Amino acid sequence: MGIDRTSEATWLETLAPRHRELLARVGDIADACAERADEYDRAVAFPGKDFDDLAAAGLNAATVPVEHGGLGLGPLHGDTLPLWLMTKQLAKADLSLGRCWEGHTNSLVLLDALASERQRARWFEGVVHGGEKWVAWSGEPQARKPGERTAFGTSITAVDGGWVLEGTKAFATSATGADRAVLLVNTAGPGGARHADGPAEGLLLLACDLSDPSVTVDESWWDPIGMRATASHVVTFDRTFLPAADVIGEPGAYLHQGWQSAFTPHYAASFLGAAEGAFDYALEYLLRQDRTADPYVQQRVGSMAVNIDTAHLWLAHVARLWDSGHRREARNAGNRARHLVEHLALETVEHCVRACGARSLVRPSPVERILRDLTFYARHDNDDHVLATIGRAALGHTHDSSFFKP
């Protein structure tokens, strides 16, 4: 008896041959990434070798336009599902890697959408030929955790030739690995995009060279239960000068054009990757332990299989909406997918643990890490607020489809 891979094969058959070849290359690299995941998790270290391998294989420029030397994937180029399936594969190997990869590729989508042609040529050159890694940082949470005396936040001041930034950002993904960051800062005061209450026009996007000595990383704050290898430390800006030439797009464009909603279903792709990692572990473990005749085990496996297929269907549906230019529908469907896939993924991991028992939670089992990582990453947006936003949209009420604010 062997493992039934019919469903996975069916998904691959729906893709163009070049996309199947691309995902096969990603899969080869993901196997090596999975071997390193435990090491990066224990060390709370950015998965630098993983990104080196992706760059060496010409995969790190996935969302860079073809005319600039990239693969031209993502919602701007009518090729969204292959990007999300790449993310799924990397997140299956290591959910922290999937999150860092999301931040990198989403940042490049923003540059492609909002940067000037001169900026795009300059920055995409660094990605394609220099292997540069990008992130986008907004996080300036005003709520404090126990023991914190001050909230995070930045202030920005206009000066001759640009802007001066001072203050701190938290949850700064890839802080010790990225080369450049898209900084979301608000002229109205602390809060970035997610935590600010000022007008949309106050939100600026600025590119920052993270090798600037005025930018420092505090690695003591980031000690979470999961997603440890995202290296999402606190970053301090000590009067960092950001030249006017590095301002991206018009003030408020990120909010007015709803770009956050393009990335919401991308999180779901990572959730699905984590779920697939648990599912594959369960299938192999149960077969090896000769436990496949147990009817309760069969029910658990059946539920996992249905969950995985359902998540794929939703991602494919949202991707088609983006690729066909139906942006309003894509935003609404993307929020629904993000909500549903979170629950499908968490349920799949629970089924895996129930079917395989406590040994699945003993290191170096990947399920132990998947459970921690997925539980933590699912907090990235408050699912209660996501679901309420879906309800407000269905009722025709005014709603925030990006950050799910009441």
Side-chain angles (χ1 to χ4, degrees), residues 244-291:
D246 290 348
V247 175
I248 303 166
E250 296 296 320
Y254 186 81
L255 297 177
H256 285 309
Q257 297 180 23
W259 279 107
Q260 180 66 26
S261 61
F263 308 138
T264 296
H266 206 170
Y267 306 148
S270 287
F271 297 163
L272 174 55
E276 273 203 355
F279 183 45
D280 280 5
Y281 174 93
L283 291 177
E284 293 171 8
Y285 179 88
L286 294 168
L287 186 63
R288 187 171 64 250
Q289 297 296 321
D290 194 23
R291 295 182 56 192

Side-chain angles (χ1 to χ4, degrees), residues 278 282 286 296-297 299-305 307 344-357:
L286 294 168
Y296 297 106
V297 165
Q299 288 187 10
R300 298 282 183 186
V301 171
S303 294
M304 287 189 278
N307 288 352
L344 294 174
L346 289 168
E347 183 182 271
T348 297
V349 176
E350 172 68 10
H351 284 314
C352 170
V353 173
R354 294 281 187 178
C356 298

Side-chain angles (χ1 to χ4, degrees), residues 356-371:
C356 298
R359 279 177 289 181
S360 65
L361 296 178
V362 178
R363 285 180 170 181
S365 163
V367 177
E368 182 270 342
R369 186 185 69 255
I370 290 170
L371 177 61

Side-chain angles (χ1 to χ4, degrees), residues 42-249:
R42 291 175 188 260
V44 196
F46 173 80
K49 184 64 168 63
D50 298 348
F51 271 88
D52 290 345
D53 288 352
L54 289 164
L59 299 171
N60 67 312
T63 50
V64 170
V66 172
E67 60 268 26
H68 285 280
L71 300 179
L73 302 181
L76 280 177
H77 300 285
D79 234 350
T80 304
L81 186 60
L83 170 66
W84 291 350
L85 293 178
M86 287 180 69
T87 299
K88 182 199 74 170
Q89 284 185 295
L90 296 174
K92 178 178 176 179
D94 180 356
L95 187 52
S96 286
L97 168 62
R99 174 68 193 112
C100 295
W101 167 259
E102 280 176 40
H104 172 69
T105 57
N106 291 346
S107 298
L108 301 181
V109 169
L110 278 180
L111 297 183
D112 193 14
L114 300 176
S116 69
E117 181 54 37
R118 178 175 295 181
Q119 290 173 327
R120 293 160 77 235
R122 171 161 56 102
W123 290 326
F124 289 156
E125 169 78 14
V127 175
V128 173
H129 298 292
E132 290 186 346
K133 299 173 287 293
W134 281 74
V135 287
W137 292 339
S138 176
E140 299 181 19
Q142 300 302 290
R144 305 170 192 172
K145 72 178 185 180
E148 284 180 343
R149 289 177 291 180
T150 58
F152 300 105
T154 58
S155 61
I156 189 162
T157 305
V159 297
D160 288 343
W163 299 84
V164 169
L165 182 66
E166 189 155 18
T168 56
K169 285 186 176 291
F171 295 101
T173 297
S174 305
T176 52
D179 301 293
R180 296 181 183 273
V182 177
L183 302 179
L184 286 76
V185 296
N186 211 301
T187 58
R194 186 179 295 272
H195 304 106
D197 295 320
E201 288 73 19
L203 184 67
L204 305 179
L205 273 66
L206 304 103
C208 179
D209 181 349
L210 297 177
S211 67
D212 188 314
S214 68
V215 181
T216 57
V217 178
D218 176 5
E219 299 183 36
S220 66
W221 182 80
W222 184 246
D223 189 20
I225 187 174
M227 300 299 284
R228 296 170 64 80
T230 61
S232 300
H233 304 297
V234 169
V235 177
T236 298
F237 303 89
D238 183 10
R239 295 194 57 77
T240 302
F241 176 69
L242 301 166
D246 290 348
V247 175
I248 303 166

Side-chain angles (χ1 to χ4, degrees), residues 373-391:
D373 285 353
L374 183 60
T375 302
F376 189 87
Y377 190 26
R379 306 282 76 75
H380 188 274
D381 284 305
N382 184 321
D383 186 59
D384 290 338
H385 291 170
V386 176
L387 189 56
T389 297
I390 294 169

